Amino acid sequence: MNFAAYCRVSTDKEDQLNSLETQKEFFKEYAEKNGHHLVKVYADEGISGTSTKHRTQFLRLMKDAERGMFEMVAVKDISRLARNTVDLLQSIRRLRELNINVVFITANMETMSGDSEFTLTIFGALAQEESANMSKRVKFGKKENAKKGRVPNLVYGYNKTKGDYFNLTINEEESEVVKQIFKWYTKDGYGYMRIAEMLNEKGLKTKRGSNFEQVAVARILHNEIYTGKIINGKQETKDFLTGVREKKDQSEWLITEKQELRIVSDETFEAAQKLFAERRNAFHIDKRRQSNKHLFSTLIRCKNCGRSFRRLERTFKKTYARWVCSGHNASSKNCDNGVSVDEDELIGVLDHYFTMVLNKKEKVYSYVIGEFKKVYKSKNEDADYEKKLKSELTSLRKKKDKFMDLFVSDLITKEELTKKITPVNDRLKQLERDLKLVESNLTTADEVEDVLKSLFKKIEDFSSVRNMTNAQLKQIIEKIEVDSSGQVDIFFRVFGDFGFDTDTVIEQELEEQDQKNVLITNDYVEGEH
């Protein structure tokens, strides 16, 4: 009789894999002893028996059974075929339909003989219960080890002694690479892909000896271990049969402090998480992809559609670079903003703008610090000040939505809407600014002044915007917005973090030529590069 054998081990540990080889030899001997022809041995290595979904060799066996390659399947015991009662019965029923007998050798049972399905169900249920108990034991062991601060097996930046579950030591060379990765991301503005490329260009390898990829860089930038914290228990298996894992609430995480493992500061790590959140929101909400290829990459935004401007080059005697709305460039149906911004002229406007800002820095210090003091005075005098700000914000946003609903329903005119909504918007703007100041980590006027000085120092370090990189400019400028009339609005990152409108702080007095007409060009031909 032609028969196939199936065997499985649930881990890829050496002793288990040796057991797999032993099982294969067992079936060869079984074939010789009983005068059968062994067509093939199907063996799944390091695969759980609680589900057939990911057991490729088992699924192949079932397909080959449908092709009529054998008349019998031999399995050493029921738990090797499945530890899930439902999977066990479904598989056996399907093989019965194909007139294929399943033999469980150690239990001396056959599915095509007198052995009832009820008996198989009992044996299958026992195998499943054993798997459930094993899952509980493993889960308990992991939890106990987590409480003691079990460390990962392989983590870039550290060395681990084989067999030592609770200790790591810093790898000096790799730790310097980790610091460089955080610097490239938080200070220089590079993304995951570019960082991976730069690491590979240097000939560096991951802990497993592979080239760096985006995923590897992301893991490093989001791993709290580099701040000296071992965190276990972020997830747990919800159902041992499906293997589905669910995230646990942060309050349930098991955190072990090991400051001897610190490679980066808390501030640097938090800066990376904040930047990641900003970039993710920029992509999902504002349709902006991250790039630092050119000076103004992802900095210029269309006020009409929210998309980033893209850079186009045209050569006539010399090369001209202009920036246009990517939405309009793809199709005028996407956006009607056909304004083209000349790169050289924009650099000139920014140089002029920065010079003006530096000339007004004392006034900026006075204004921002004064507003900061007002807010913190209110906070100190009223313990519920932050709560009240949030409550009023919620109320005003609902009020604004009601006005918009009235307008959409044609119950008020556009003029009436403007009259009603303008004071609401002004108050919302002030409340949002005050809330940002309250929620900031700054607690004294000196700290605020230090942040402002840092901004002006970054501007003073460069004789011209032309000498900056995209990453350096992004440390100063949050965004540059351009509308369809050619109006250009520049937003400083520091002021945005404080909740201030840039023009309110600077009280800019740029001439109309600088801010508008000089940036508009009418000879742009759509689609040219």
Side-chain angles (χ1 to χ4, degrees):
M1 179 183 290
N2 292 328
F3 84 100
Y6 179 75
C7 51
R8 174 190 59 81
V9 294
S10 56
T11 74
D12 54 8
K13 291 182 179 178
E14 188 175 344
D15 59 336
Q16 286 280 282
L17 295 181
N18 288 337
S19 171
L20 188 59
E21 291 303 316
T22 303
Q23 289 183 58
K24 290 178 180 178
E25 287 299 321
F26 172 82
F27 289 116
K28 290 177 183 177
E29 293 175 4
Y30 176 81
E32 292 174 3
K33 182 179 178 181
N34 293 277
H36 297 316
H37 174 245
L38 179 59
V39 175
K40 187 176 179 180
V41 177
Y42 298 84
D44 281 310
E45 302 178 5
I47 302 293
S48 170
T50 53
S51 172
T52 60
K53 185 177 179 181
H54 301 294
R55 288 155 62 188
T56 55
Q57 287 295 304
F58 178 81
L59 296 175
R60 187 169 297 169
L61 178 148
M62 296 300 290
K63 284 184 179 179
D64 289 346
E66 292 175 352
R67 296 189 185 106
M69 289 180 61
F70 41 79
E71 297 89 49
M72 184 179 80
V73 175
V75 187
K76 194 171 182 182
D77 60 63
I78 291 175
S79 66
R80 294 301 92 194
L81 186 64
R83 287 183 180 271
N84 180 326
T85 308
V86 174
D87 282 348
L88 173 69
L89 294 177
Q90 286 179 341
S91 302
I92 288 173
R93 286 169 183 169
R94 178 57 184 151
L95 290 169
R96 270 181 179 166
E97 289 174 2
L98 297 170
N99 201 33
I100 294 175
N101 189 24
V102 181
V103 177
F104 299 105
I105 298 171
T106 55
N108 195 26
M109 293 176 63
E110 297 184 27
T111 58
M112 300 294 284
S113 68
D115 296 315
S116 68
E117 189 172 281
F118 174 74
T119 305
L120 287 171
T121 303
I122 294 297
F123 276 90
L126 290 172
Q128 180 173 310
E129 184 61 24
E130 171 57 24
S131 186
N133 290 332
M134 187 185 302
S135 175
K136 291 175 184 177
R137 291 194 296 270
V138 170
K139 190 179 291 186
F140 175 79
K142 285 184 175 180
K143 189 172 183 178
E144 290 303 304
N145 283 337
K147 288 178 181 178
K148 298 174 185 176
R150 180 168 182 163
V151 297
N153 286 324
L154 282 176
V155 56
Y156 194 83
Y158 302 95
N159 296 325
K160 183 178 181 182
T161 303
K162 191 174 181 179
D164 187 346
Y165 297 121
F166 305 105
N167 291 292
L168 292 173
T169 56
I170 290 178
N171 181 308
E172 296 300 333
E173 289 184 9
E174 292 179 357
S175 68
E176 290 303 315
V177 176
V178 170
K179 292 175 185 177
Q180 182 65 69
I181 289 171
F182 274 92
K183 179 182 180 297
W184 277 336
Y185 188 71
T186 60
K187 300 294 184 184
D188 299 333
Y190 293 113
Y192 297 161
M193 183 179 291
R194 181 59 187 135
I195 291 173
E197 288 173 352
M198 291 190 292
L199 292 171
N200 292 331
E201 286 166 5
K202 289 176 175 287
L204 297 169
K205 300 292 183 182
T206 67
K207 208 71 174 172
R208 296 185 185 274
S210 305
N211 286 336
F212 276 90
E213 296 181 356
Q214 286 177 271
V215 174
V217 173
R219 283 200 192 105
I220 288 173
L221 289 167
H222 295 291
N223 196 339
E224 296 92 341
I225 195 171
Y226 299 112
T227 63
K229 293 178 182 176
I230 305 293
I231 301 181
N232 288 294
K234 286 187 177 182
Q235 295 180 330
E236 72 174 359
T237 303
K238 187 177 181 180
D239 186 340
F240 81 97
L241 289 176
T242 63
V244 173
R245 297 177 66 81
E246 64 177 6
K247 292 182 179 180
K248 296 177 68 176
D249 187 80
Q250 192 169 339
S251 61
E252 298 181 76
W253 293 359
L254 299 169
I255 303 174
T256 305
E257 296 278 352
K258 291 195 174 184
Q259 288 305 303
E260 67 272 17
L261 299 182
R262 179 183 289 278
I263 292 177
V264 300
S265 67
D266 290 336
E267 292 75 19
T268 298
F269 186 80
E270 289 304 320
Q273 310 320 301
K274 182 181 178 182
L275 184 56
F276 168 74
E278 288 176 356
R279 290 183 173 184
R280 179 187 58 197
N281 292 337
F283 177 73
H284 290 295
I285 299 173
D286 300 331
K287 310 176 186 71
R288 283 185 290 145
R289 291 184 180 274
Q290 285 305 310
S291 171
N292 53 16
K293 185 176 181 180
H294 303 292
L295 177 61
F296 295 110
S297 291
T298 68
L299 267 173
I300 309 175
R301 305 248 297 278
C302 178
K303 202 166 187 177
N304 290 28
C305 70
R307 291 180 173 88
S308 294
F309 271 45
R310 61 173 298 199
R311 189 177 191 266
L312 300 178
E313 285 188 357
R314 184 171 65 179
T315 302
F316 180 71
K317 293 185 179 179
K318 69 173 186 176
T319 300
Y320 298 88
R322 289 174 179 169
W323 291 81
V324 298
C325 171
S326 58
H328 180 81
N329 184 244
S331 171
S332 58
K333 294 179 181 179
N334 294 336
C335 180
D336 61 1
N337 187 352
V339 168
S340 170
V341 179
D342 184 274
E343 184 173 276
D344 286 336
E345 290 173 352
L346 180 55
I347 290 172
V349 168
L350 280 173
D351 282 340
H352 178 77
Y353 191 83
F354 285 171
T355 300
M356 183 198 64
V357 169
L358 290 173
N359 290 336
K360 290 177 175 284
K361 66 180 181 181
E362 296 302 327
K363 187 174 182 179
V364 172
Y365 289 159
S366 177
Y367 177 76
V368 176
I369 291 172
E371 293 301 305
F372 175 84
K373 286 180 177 178
K374 287 179 188 177
V375 169
Y376 265 78
K377 182 181 179 184
S378 299
K379 181 182 178 181
N380 291 332
E381 291 176 351
D382 186 353
D384 295 327
Y385 182 62
E386 183 176 347
K387 185 178 179 181
K388 289 177 180 177
L389 286 177
K390 291 179 179 178
S391 177
E392 188 178 352
L393 266 172
T394 302
S395 177
L396 282 175
R397 283 168 180 160
K398 288 180 180 178
K399 190 174 183 179
K400 181 178 178 178
D401 289 340
K402 286 180 181 178
F403 288 148
M404 292 301 299
D405 290 340
L406 290 172
F407 174 69
V408 171
S409 303
D410 290 328
L411 296 175
I412 60 174
T413 65
K414 187 175 181 180
E415 291 73 21
E416 288 174 322
L417 173 67
T418 302
K419 186 177 179 180
K420 289 177 180 294
I421 215 166
T422 297
V424 174
N425 281 336
D426 290 342
R427 180 58 180 161
L428 278 172
K429 192 174 180 180
Q430 183 181 351
L431 287 170
E432 287 167 352
R433 185 204 68 186
D434 290 351
L435 186 60
K436 274 197 173 184
L437 282 173
V438 170
E439 292 177 339
S440 72
N441 294 323
L442 305 174
T443 56
T444 67
D446 287 342
E447 289 177 340
V448 176
E449 186 172 352
D450 287 342
V451 173
L452 294 173
K453 284 181 178 178
S454 175
L455 165 67
F456 291 120
K457 178 68 167 58
K458 288 173 184 174
I459 298 174
E460 290 169 338
D461 283 343
F462 293 91
S463 58
S464 171
V465 171
R466 194 181 302 278
N467 300 325
M468 290 183 177
T469 64
N470 174 264
Q472 289 164 337
L473 188 56
K474 281 177 178 175
Q475 291 178 31
I476 301 171
I477 298 293
E478 180 182 352
K479 61 183 176 181
I480 299 169
E481 285 189 340
V482 181
D483 65 20
S484 53
S485 70
Q487 175 75 26
V488 176
D489 294 318
I490 301 166
F491 295 82
F492 276 83
R493 181 167 295 280
V494 168
F495 299 145
D497 290 343
F498 285 160
F500 287 101
D501 176 77
T502 303
D503 288 350
T504 302
V505 177
I506 303 298
E507 293 180 4
Q508 83 171 346
E509 298 167 357
L510 291 178
E511 297 176 3
E512 188 172 309
Q513 171 101 9
D514 287 329
Q515 197 172 22
K516 244 188 198 183
N517 300 337
V518 75
L519 297 182
I520 303 177
T521 56
N522 298 316
D523 56 351
Y524 163 64
V525 179
E526 190 169 320
E528 280 196 10
H529 290 257

